[in-house]
Amino acid sequence: MDPANPPHPMGTESAPWWTSAVVYQVYPRSFQDCDGDGIGDLGGVLQRLDHLADLGVDVLWLSPVYPSPQADNGYDISDYEGIDPLFGTQAQLDELIAALHGRGMRLVMDLVVNHTSDEHPWFVESRSSPSSPKRDWYWWRPPRGRFAAGTPGAEPTNWQSAFSGPAWTLDEASGEYYLHLFTRKQPDLNWENPEVRQAIYAMMRRWLDRGVDGFRMDVINMISKDVADDGHLHDGPPIPGTGLGDGSASYICGPRIHEFLQEMHREVFSGRDAALLTVGEMPGVTIEQAKLFTDPARAEVDMVFQFEHVNLDQGSSKWDVRPLRLRNLKASFGRWQAGLADVGWNSLYWDNHDQPRAVSRFGDDSPAFRRDSATCLATLLHLHRGTPYVYQGEELGMANFPFASVDEFRDVESVNHFGAAMVAGQDPTAVLAAMRRMSRDNARTPVQWDASPSAGFTTGTSWLPVNPDHVEWNAAAQRDDPTSVLAHYRRLIALRHENPVVALGDFAMLLPEHEHVYAFTRTLDSQVLLVVCNVGATPYELSALLPRANGATLLLGNLPDAAATLRPWEARVLQLS
Ligand code: NOJ
């Protein structure tokens, strides 16, 4: 080794495979229906693998297909080892693994182990009696102090659940409450109990033995709760107007989280982790914590999903929608790039099944700028350091749905929010307006495959309506069009595969205060890329902004014929040396 020039910590030789990979998320219920019941399924995923191969993605992350009462669209699991008949069969899952591997792609399954369904046999047993051997597998607590069970305020803590209302539900039979950070049909597992952990690890090993290539771990930084020696859980600061409190300090990156993830790694991944991808979904994670979670030397997870950038257009809650200031986005992404530059790794995403559509939220989905803003945002994100995730339909420029009334929403979060807001006396028109922008259902309308009445998604009636704009915005129309959003995603993915600087180059932010232009460099050895994105409708003279751009070679752009002016929503990737 040349001491004056030590190898890059993520050197091109030693970098893990997922540093140059792109992941595609399938939300199966809305991807493709093959049996005409209006709900997407595994048969549908199998039918559409050519789309993924054509795009060039390396990994398919499959949102949950396990047996589930579907209270939260499969994030409420009643059997970790099966396949819900709604989605297909075990044989089809095996077929999917084989078909992906045959095409050089990998399969990452969703792992939802902060909670189970209340219909999971573990919870059914736990609930059956306070003396059940599985009672301690969940969080059971008596009513608070002198309160009678069921009276307001008797909940063991004041925590609000993620989907409105208290995080505790009374079990009438025993007079005790159980904890659920999400809906009442999603009781939290007690990770303090070693039997729980071992049961989960055994289940994970069986999935790996079956051929899956890793896990996307649902709210995994919430599994460790801050519990006092006497079993007491702590109230959180009050949330104005709700009568409830914010308990997150007691369960976001709780006291034993690193211990649990290291144990999981030892018990499940060790010896085979090089071929796998593990990504922890971590609401509220800080850069310092993310570094610990993803430091390879600590053997926890490969990368995290952090939430800072998707919280920038929000005030006190996700329904309190604020304009995004580009300089805040730069400051946030810039901090994460710097924070994980030497140790650790990040995931890059705009969209997933929990976020509204990026082109509507951060771009401009009006006819004039929809294509250009979708490709501009994609370029901005994919040229950062980290592993990009593409959410189904994002590669087509799919936009938010024009919800007209509250009855059109299906998502438990949206439905509960509307109910709670009405009880609190809020203006229904304003509440609906916020839901139209932020509801998770925006991401969940069926993928738009073609211009036919059901967009090629189903021969039946789709569970959520197809966006009427599918007649124009669909995969069939874009597949052979080199100017399409789809073609641009294909080029971005190929760029990452072909250029180590895209995967591994150092990141430096430029023009941090500029309100509309997002620019940065990526540098690896002697190669320097300059990325310039006009995040808005005002044109700029490029050479006045960034003299270095003069004479640079255009590697990839989203508009034809590079001009002296950086046009509205134009993005360029330039090679400087
Ligand atoms: C995060 C998932 O992405 C979301 O869809 C789900 O509702 C919650 N975790 C609870 O599992």
Side-chain angles (χ1 to χ4, degrees):
M1 187 184 90
D2 172 3
N5 192 11
H8 196 280
M10 282 272 189
T12 38
E13 300 299 303
S14 57
W17 64 271
W18 35 256
T19 54
S20 59
V22 177
V23 183
Y24 186 93
Q25 182 190 354
V26 165
Y27 191 66
R29 162 181 277 277
S30 306
F31 188 66
Q32 174 67 55
D33 174 26
C34 83
D35 62 5
D37 66 356
I39 297 174
D41 44 39
L42 287 174
V45 181
L46 283 162
Q47 277 174 15
R48 294 290 185 185
L49 290 185
D50 283 349
H51 179 76
L52 272 61
D54 171 59
L55 199 52
V57 295
D58 307 272
V59 181
L60 187 169
W61 151 27
L62 185 64
S63 278
V65 288
Y66 314 99
S68 161
Q70 301 290 322
D72 187 17
N73 289 1
Y75 283 90
D76 49 318
I77 297 171
S78 53
D79 173 5
Y80 284 122
E81 318 238 357
I83 300 296
D84 197 306
L86 191 66
F87 295 120
T89 63
Q90 299 270 7
Q92 281 177 310
L93 199 270
D94 290 330
E95 204 185 321
L96 180 61
I97 295 172
L100 286 168
H101 288 175
R103 289 164 189 264
M105 288 186 263
R106 291 169 153 105
L107 179 66
V108 161
M109 297 288 277
D110 225 299
L111 179 82
V112 187
V113 290
N114 174 67
H115 45 269
T116 66
S117 163
D118 65 340
E119 298 180 34
H120 193 293
W122 294 347
F123 187 74
V124 173
E125 166 63 46
S126 180
R127 172 178 232 166
S128 66
S129 154
S131 59
S132 157
K134 287 204 166 49
R135 188 68 167 180
D136 183 52
W137 281 40
Y138 294 84
W139 294 91
W140 290 99
R141 290 291 182 277
R144 178 194 294 263
R146 290 182 298 277
F147 285 82
T151 55
E155 292 83 10
T157 67
N158 66 349
W159 301 352
Q160 185 179 44
S161 79
F163 298 148
S164 308
W168 296 92
T169 287
L170 176 66
D171 172 54
E172 300 277 353
S174 64
E176 290 191 331
Y177 287 83
Y178 66 88
L179 175 68
H180 52 87
L181 295 181
F182 294 89
T183 75
R184 62 177 58 205
K185 288 193 63 68
Q186 293 165 294
D188 279 50
L189 281 162
N190 177 13
W191 276 70
E192 298 295 314
N193 184 322
E195 288 176 18
V196 169
R197 305 202 299 273
Q198 289 306 326
I200 290 168
Y201 304 152
M203 171 272 286
M204 293 172 71
R205 284 192 294 263
R206 284 191 285 273
W207 279 108
L208 294 183
D209 291 345
R210 199 160 157 189
V212 312
D213 304 293
F215 298 100
R216 173 271 185 187
M217 305 177 183
D218 192 74
V219 292
I220 201 68
N221 65 331
M222 297 192 184
I223 58 177
S224 164
K225 275 77 174 171
D226 184 8
V227 53
D229 289 343
D230 65 357
H232 179 82
L233 294 159
H234 315 283
D235 278 348
I239 305 172
T242 63
L244 296 168
D246 173 6
S248 57
S250 292
Y251 54 76
I252 295 288
C253 301
R256 299 183 69 189
I257 184 63
H258 294 288
E259 176 197 336
F260 291 162
L261 288 181
Q262 286 170 9
E263 179 183 77
M264 176 191 283
H265 195 284
R266 268 196 316 276
E267 296 276 334
V268 181
F269 303 128
S270 79
R272 47 180 164 187
D273 52 321
L276 304 177
L277 185 159
T278 56
V279 50
E281 188 210 23
M282 302 200 178
V285 70
T286 62
I287 295 172
E288 277 316 306
Q289 281 287 351
K291 212 163 154 175
L292 298 176
F293 284 122
T294 62
D295 177 352
R298 295 170 55 89
E300 298 186 23
V301 292
D302 294 329
M303 61 190 89
V304 299
F305 285 127
Q306 57 93 7
F307 283 67
E308 204 175 278
H309 64 298
V310 288
N311 291 335
L312 293 175
D313 59 350
Q314 298 167 19
S316 54
S317 80
K318 75 180 271 181
W319 312 108
D320 179 9
V321 192
R322 307 281 171 89
L324 173 76
R325 296 281 304 268
L326 191 68
R327 63 166 70 168
N328 292 344
L329 183 70
K330 291 181 198 181
S332 173
F333 273 166
R335 270 196 310 273
W336 279 87
Q337 292 285 306
L340 299 181
D342 297 326
V343 174
W345 195 252
N346 202 0
S347 312
L348 306 170
Y349 72 95
W350 290 127
D351 272 340
N352 58 44
H353 63 291
D354 294 331
Q355 302 293 335
R357 290 286 179 182
V359 68
S360 303
R361 180 183 188 183
F362 302 124
D364 180 342
D365 62 8
S366 68
F369 293 125
R370 178 155 166 189
R371 183 243 165 239
D372 297 348
S373 67
T375 49
C376 179
L377 289 174
T379 312
L380 189 161
L381 189 78
H382 281 237
L383 267 292
H384 279 72
R385 188 179 149 101
T387 298
Y389 285 68
V390 179
Y391 176 66
Q392 64 184 35
E394 178 188 335
E395 77 283 15
L396 306 174
M398 278 181 63
N400 280 354
F401 185 85
F403 290 103
S405 100
V406 68
D407 312 325
E408 290 172 350
F409 292 91
R410 293 286 168 274
D411 177 28
V412 63
E413 180 189 49
S414 297
V415 172
N416 287 0
H417 167 64
F418 189 81
M422 292 309 96
V423 170
Q426 293 181 29
D427 168 18
T429 312
V431 174
L432 186 60
M435 282 166 59
R436 198 177 289 123
R437 291 178 68 175
M438 295 308 290
S439 171
R440 308 195 295 182
D441 280 337
N442 282 301
R444 300 176 178 188
T445 62
V447 171
Q448 297 166 201
W449 296 107
D450 60 39
S452 67
S454 290
F457 167 71
T458 182
T459 53
T461 306
S462 61
W463 72 278
L464 259 186
V466 168
N467 195 316
D469 69 10
H470 76 279
V471 291
E472 195 183 340
W473 292 87
N474 62 68
Q478 296 190 28
R479 198 161 293 126
D480 299 321
D481 174 0
T483 69
S484 65
V485 180
L486 179 58
H488 192 76
Y489 268 86
R490 226 184 259 139
R491 287 191 288 267
L492 282 172
I493 293 166
L495 194 73
R496 173 167 292 258
H497 288 158
E498 288 156 14
N499 293 276
V501 63
V502 176
L504 299 171
D506 292 334
F507 178 98
M509 187 70 80
L510 306 173
L511 310 175
E513 300 301 323
H514 201 288
E515 287 288 358
H516 298 120
V517 175
Y518 194 117
F520 53 94
T521 55
R522 300 290 312 281
T523 307
L524 186 70
D525 303 326
S526 60
Q527 206 190 353
V528 185
L529 299 184
L530 170 63
V531 182
V532 196
C533 303
N534 186 354
V535 186
T538 315
Y540 289 95
E541 245 2 85
L542 184 55
S543 58
L545 272 182
L546 293 160
R548 277 203 279 174
N550 282 331
T553 314
L554 183 67
L555 267 190
L556 181 66
N558 70 337
L559 296 183
D561 312 323
T565 306
L566 191 66
R567 290 158 285 182
W569 295 103
E570 181 167 6
R572 296 188 198 176
V573 182
L574 301 162
Q575 170 118 18
L576 291 187
S577 52

